[in-house]
Amino acid sequence: MSNIRSTMNKPDAQFLAQANTIDEQCHAHLEWNIDPQRQSALDTLLSNANNSYKLHLDKATKNAITAANKKKDFGELKHFLGTFIDYLEVNTDVPDAALQFMGLRSREHHANQPLPRPDKQPVLSIVKLHDEFTVYAAQPEHDQPTAGVAPARYHAFMIRIRHEGEDSYQTVVSTRLHHTLFFERTDEGKRIFISAAWVNPRLEPGPWCEEIPEVIG
């Protein structure tokens, strides 16, 4: 968290330079398998911030409107970039050296003992809309799910998806407490099984919850 605060609290020019570096590096390294929707959102917000910053910096165009636009665009970019940095840090396809190059903290910076694997299962709920499944994770509290609460000090939750008749899983990690899965129209009618586990900062999962069967479409 301190790493994200230090990024967001930089002067405008330094913050924008770091945001541009992060964006450029993500485009340059296809092997990082950056989620296309996240990348597209960053591209749009960064373009808006770059444009409004240039307009406000130019004495010929600088006025109260450019100041308001810059404040709005920077606020939206900072809000999104915080979750994007979290995403990069849990994406093990992004090397530690690349995180440091982008001005982010290394995963190996901790002097304290690493956190153990989580010892609790998440409680899952799934909201289905056509070919989309939004998976919500919660922590049980006195046998009742507590929405929006993850085990203290754990970093994210991991979702795994298995198609009926297959033994292999697809997995995705979310630092938020919900994640939307998208399926192709060609998958309609197929049965899948969804389960999840809390993970520590080293992406080591705890116990998996019971699989939930769903039909796509």
Side-chain angles (χ1 to χ4, degrees), residues 112-174:
N112 298 328
Q113 290 294 321
L115 290 175
R117 291 174 183 265
D119 58 2
K120 297 180 180 179
Q121 299 176 354
V123 176
L124 294 192
S125 59
I126 299 174
V127 176
K128 180 178 174 182
L129 179 64
H130 303 301
D131 300 322
E132 300 177 11
F133 293 82
T134 300
V135 181
Y136 293 85
Q139 176 178 308
E141 185 70 24
H142 303 299
D143 298 324
Q144 295 294 327
T146 304
V149 179
R153 300 174 67 199
Y154 287 110
H155 197 64
F157 80 106
M158 181 181 292
I159 304 169
R160 66 181 185 183
I161 308 100
R162 177 176 65 86
H163 285 259
E164 187 172 34
E166 296 182 2
D167 295 327
S168 60
Y169 289 92
Q170 298 173 342
T171 60
V172 61
V173 173
S174 175

Side-chain angles (χ1 to χ4, degrees), residues 196-214:
W198 301 116
V199 295
N200 63 16
R202 291 180 294 169
L203 301 185
E204 296 174 327
W208 294 91
C209 69
E210 187 174 348
E211 290 184 329
I212 299 176
E214 291 285 354

